[in-house]
Amino acid sequence: DIKTVEQARQSIYWPLIKRAMEDEIHGKYVVNRAWDVVQQEPWMHVIGVKWVFTFVFNDDGSIAKVKARLVGKGFGQREGKEYHECFARTLSATAFRLWCAIVADEDLETDTADGVKAFTQADVDAEIYTQMPPGFVK
């Protein structure tokens, strides 16, 4: 398992991993304008981030796709300072099947929902400071 950018750089899969990291940065943060790079000030509580790498394999064992997700290290947050409540809306498999059944039964049309971009589309009423993504620090 590849857990860090340093391990990824040493891997024979580095070109695929690097491309996945670039796609994550471009898709979530460049296209959606989810962040601005600012100079860190002493008063800022900065939340750490890390990369999570996932390999998707073909039936023959070859790599079909590499996914790279940048995630916040939420355990560094302080109640009352960085959050007031923690809530992540998710859809259960049963609810999803029910939704599909209703759409099919009523001959309706449905649009897609992008769960990957969901957090960048959420309304946030506070400024949140995170580290620069490992591998993208200049």
Side-chain angles (χ1 to χ4, degrees):
D1 285 349
I2 298 174
K3 302 283 186 192
T4 66
V5 174
E6 293 77 25
Q7 290 174 342
R9 283 192 176 124
Q10 301 301 316
S11 167
I12 60 172
Y13 305 114
W14 172 240
L16 297 171
I17 295 169
K18 182 179 178 189
R19 177 62 189 198
M21 291 168 61
E22 290 168 348
D23 289 347
E24 172 80 347
I25 294 294
H26 182 76
K28 285 189 178 174
Y29 306 110
V30 175
V31 172
N32 291 317
R33 300 277 307 145
W35 70 15
D36 292 308
V37 177
V38 298
Q39 183 69 36
Q40 184 175 342
E41 299 293 336
W43 54 267
M44 294 176 179
H45 178 69
V46 179
I47 298 170
V49 295
K50 69 176 187 173
W51 288 102
V52 176
F53 305 109
T54 306
F55 292 83
V56 179
F57 296 95
N58 293 316
D59 291 337
D60 64 0
S62 62
I63 294 179
K65 184 176 184 178
V66 177
K67 296 179 185 178
R69 296 290 178 252
L70 186 64
V71 298
K73 297 178 182 178
F75 55 81
Q77 295 174 327
R78 297 174 295 193
E79 187 173 2
K81 292 285 187 180
E82 284 82 33
Y83 71 93
H84 298 285
E85 61 185 56
C86 184
F87 178 74
R89 185 176 312 274
T90 59
L91 181 66
S92 70
T94 303
F96 179 71
R97 286 192 300 271
L98 177 63
W99 173 259
C100 291
I102 292 170
V103 169
D105 186 57
E106 299 293 325
D107 196 28
L108 301 171
E109 292 183 17
T110 186
D111 201 356
T112 60
D114 190 347
V116 173
K117 296 180 185 174
F119 87 97
T120 61
Q121 306 300 322
D123 293 329
V124 178
D125 61 355
E127 288 189 357
I128 300 170
Y129 300 99
T130 65
Q131 291 175 334
M132 288 292 291
F136 287 85
V137 180
K138 291 185 178 183

